[in-house]
Amino acid sequence: MFKKIIMALTATTLIASPIVTAQAQAAPHQERHEVSRTTVKHKANGRTVVKKQTIVRKDSGRRWAKGQRFDRRYATNYRVVNNYRDYRLSAPPRGYQWVRSGNDAVLIAITSGLIGAVVGSAIR
């Protein structure tokens, strides 16, 4: 009886674990960045007007990984990095180029768009 219970629990764990991990990977990761700004205006009649404004920016949450196909539509602040030495990146091999996506440097194949390497927070 005890062996049957253990076998049933093991079988359900093996079946349910890929489903749970697939749901966790499918959920987009979003970060919120809040910026507060205060402006002070002095009016001609002697009054002072103070305005406080809070801006909330959402990060797209796109995380690049080696082997994925790079699509520049999903890259935040996309730029081709020609001065890779300034960011302490290695020279790209023939047929590759460094690009910027947010603060990450991504090495992509020019013709196919496949990602060869990702350096997180390389660009500040």
Side-chain angles (χ1 to χ4, degrees), residues 6-122:
I6 297 295
M7 292 299 285
L9 288 175
T10 305
T12 55
T13 304
L14 290 174
I15 293 170
S17 63
I19 296 169
V20 172
T21 56
Q23 289 176 350
Q25 290 174 353
H29 174 76
Q30 291 186 350
E31 292 183 21
R32 294 171 46 124
H33 301 284
E34 292 187 11
V35 179
S36 296
R37 185 184 334 168
T38 304
T39 56
V40 178
K41 292 184 180 179
H42 299 286
K43 300 281 184 166
N45 59 3
R47 291 186 178 180
T48 304
V49 178
V50 178
K51 289 185 181 179
K52 186 172 183 180
Q53 183 180 18
T54 303
I55 301 169
V56 177
R57 296 183 190 145
K58 291 184 180 179
D59 189 14
S60 67
R62 182 67 182 206
R63 303 289 181 231
W64 301 109
K66 184 177 179 179
Q68 286 181 342
R69 187 167 305 276
F70 183 81
D71 191 355
R72 65 185 284 180
R73 292 178 294 176
Y74 301 116
T76 55
N77 198 11
Y78 171 82
R79 301 274 190 276
V80 175
V81 178
N82 292 323
N83 55 344
Y84 51 87
R85 287 186 189 93
D86 293 345
Y87 301 109
R88 296 184 178 172
L89 299 170
S90 61
R94 183 177 301 198
Y96 284 81
Q97 68 181 359
W98 285 105
V99 297
R100 174 182 182 165
S101 174
N103 289 338
D104 300 338
V106 183
L107 182 67
I108 61 168
I110 296 172
T111 55
S112 65
L114 290 177
I115 297 176
V118 179
V119 179
S121 300

